[in-house]
Amino acid sequence: MARRLIIECVVFLYTIIVQCFHVIKSLFLPLKKNVRNEIVLITGAGSGLGRLMALRFASLGSTVVCVDINTQANESTANQIKSEDGKAFAFTCDCSSREDIYRVAEDIKASVGDVTILVNNAGIVSGKKFMELSDIMINQTFAVNTMAHFWTVRAFLPSMITKNHGHIVSIASSAGLVGISNLTDYCSSKFAAVGFHESLQLELASLGKHGINTTLICPYIINTGMFDGAKSKFSRLLPILDPIKTVDQMMDCILRNGNVLIIPKILCFLLLLKSFLPQKSFVTMSEFFGASSCMNEFKGRPKKKLIKMNDRFLKSNTACV
Ligand SMILES: NC(=O)c1ccc[n+]([C@@H]2O[C@H](COP(=O)([O-])OP(=O)(O)OC[C@H]3O[C@@H](n4cnc5c(N)ncnc54)[C@H](O)[C@@H]3O)[C@@H](O)[C@H]2O)c1
């Protein structure tokens, strides 16, 4: 028994050292995977990060399946890709509905093929104090930000398992790692997305499905419009992120089969502080770093601004892909 435990410990330490070595090596070598023949499905492809990622994958030769509840914005992304000789398909889908996801998934499998890279990106935010949230809002936030991950993965994972080839990308948030005032529904839904990613990753590893990668992305506030009005208390230390630079980092991580990306890196230090400071200090620390006040002037994006914002991305994207 003791001998077996010693062997397990040695194998464990050896594996950790080899994994650390691989991570350090990957920082210096531009080893990125080829996604030319992949079928990439992106939820929330009609706007913000989803739209930018769709354009990036298309520029790398992937067939992009754009999925969004907003038909016009989604088709605009697919049309932009096609106008640049890329391959894209647009499917309107309400990701808060399991039935709609399963229906659209069947259409996609029949008309495009098996999805090999699934990016769960669609997300919503209410930005209200807990008691001002309606029951419907809370349900909707979980339906889009968490439950949709379950239904899309259940729809597309089986073919990835059969081929032992695929990649599941979960766009969560730094609000899925630390609580923030006025974001109880959003934070909890993103914490759940983080838990989903970690558990799925372990399950795939225990099944020996090492050909299926999982990536979790946790960014701080990004200037896409979704969090309009939210403020950073220390804008030099924790600046509101630029969407294009953020997508650069996200794509780099995905193409390297990275496991977790927290943007900006300084957040890792704050998470470390959170984990070892006494629990009583959590409120003091959150107040100091602005987690209690950053949403005080939150407005969110008025629906009308969506198309205008897409035009801005269309223009800026030409420079970045
Ligand atoms: N913007 C930020 O500050 C920020 C920070 C951290 C994480 N995130 C996360 O990144 C992801 C993308 O954010 P963004 O800033 O690009 O947001 P965005 O609002 O620009 O885009 C979200 C897209 O999701 C779509 N969508 C919303 N509800 C849907 C539904 N029910 N079914 C299908 N599509 C739906 C919208 O139509 C929109 O096109 C989200 O998951 C968000 O939570 C954003």
Side-chain angles (χ1 to χ4, degrees):
M1 186 68 184
R3 198 164 160 242
R4 213 178 119 194
L5 192 63
I6 292 171
I7 294 173
E8 262 191 44
C9 289
V10 171
V11 171
F12 166 75
L13 287 175
Y14 173 77
T15 313
I16 297 283
I17 291 167
V18 169
Q19 285 167 345
C20 290
F21 175 73
H22 279 302
V23 170
I24 294 168
K25 197 175 85 178
S26 75
L27 294 176
F28 296 101
L29 295 176
L31 286 178
K32 294 194 186 170
K33 66 179 174 185
N34 184 351
V35 288
R36 180 158 288 280
N37 294 315
E38 306 292 347
I39 298 183
V40 184
L41 185 151
I42 302 174
T43 66
S47 167
L49 306 182
R51 182 180 182 81
L52 286 172
M53 278 188 283
L55 294 163
R56 297 289 176 92
F57 273 112
S59 73
L60 296 171
S62 308
T63 298
V64 182
V65 180
C66 303
V67 170
D68 204 292
I69 195 170
N70 183 330
T71 305
Q72 197 189 345
N74 198 37
E75 281 177 357
S76 149
T77 304
N79 289 339
Q80 166 76 8
I81 291 172
K82 286 187 244 177
S83 74
E84 289 166 9
D85 295 330
K87 288 165 275 175
F89 297 82
F91 289 86
T92 301
C93 176
D94 177 0
C95 291
S96 70
S97 154
R98 184 186 56 191
E99 291 76 18
D100 214 28
I101 290 177
Y102 284 167
R103 177 188 61 76
V104 171
E106 288 312 311
D107 284 357
I108 292 169
K109 286 179 211 171
S111 55
V112 186
D114 288 332
V115 167
T116 52
I117 301 182
L118 168 62
V119 185
N120 269 311
N121 163 76
I124 53 171
V125 62
S126 327
K128 290 186 184 300
K129 292 196 190 313
F130 178 64
M131 288 311 292
E132 288 168 11
L133 289 166
S134 67
D135 294 356
I136 293 172
M137 272 178 189
I138 296 170
N139 270 336
Q140 187 69 7
T141 301
F142 273 87
V144 181
N145 296 2
T146 311
M147 296 315 297
H149 293 219
F150 283 80
W151 315 137
T152 52
V153 172
R154 283 175 74 82
F156 297 110
L157 185 61
S159 63
M160 294 187 195
I161 288 181
T162 307
K163 297 173 192 159
N164 190 20
H165 173 78
H167 197 149
I168 293 165
V169 181
S170 307
I171 310 296
S173 168
S174 56
L177 304 169
V178 65
I180 294 173
S181 264
N182 296 12
L183 282 179
T184 46
D185 56 339
Y186 185 80
C187 284
S188 338
S189 69
K190 293 294 186 179
F191 267 74
V194 172
F196 175 74
H197 157 86
E198 281 188 3
S199 309
L200 185 69
Q201 179 194 16
L202 287 185
E203 208 170 299
L204 289 170
S206 68
L207 289 172
K209 297 294 172 189
H210 301 292
I212 306 174
N213 298 291
T214 51
T215 298
L216 172 73
I217 313 253
C218 296
Y220 182 61
I221 306 168
I222 311 156
N223 186 17
T224 61
M226 183 184 193
F227 275 86
D228 260 8
K231 296 257 178 332
S232 173
K233 185 170 169 189
F234 297 105
S235 55
R236 275 180 182 261
L237 185 72
L238 263 180
I240 303 281
L241 302 170
D242 173 70
I244 292 168
K245 287 186 188 149
T246 305
V247 169
D248 281 344
Q249 293 182 55
M250 287 164 55
M251 288 301 295
D252 187 70
C253 178
I254 295 167
L255 297 177
R256 287 173 191 270
N257 291 330
N259 187 244
V260 180
L261 176 67
I262 298 176
I263 321 174
K265 285 274 178 285
I266 183 82
L267 284 175
C268 300
F269 173 68
L270 300 183
L271 288 167
L272 194 72
L273 276 185
K274 179 190 163 187
S275 63
F276 77 75
L277 283 179
Q279 269 303 305
K280 275 195 172 171
S281 310
F282 174 68
V283 172
T284 315
M285 191 180 127
S286 301
E287 282 172 352
F288 178 76
F289 285 107
S292 308
S293 56
C294 64
M295 290 294 288
N296 286 354
E297 291 167 51
F298 170 80
K299 293 190 284 286
R301 180 191 307 117
K303 287 216 160 31
K304 271 186 275 172
K305 269 175 81 180
L306 189 66
I307 300 299
K308 267 195 188 159
M309 197 198 71
N310 283 336
D311 290 344
R312 183 167 75 80
F313 278 130
L314 275 181
K315 282 177 200 131
S316 55
N317 188 66
T318 339
C320 69
V321 275

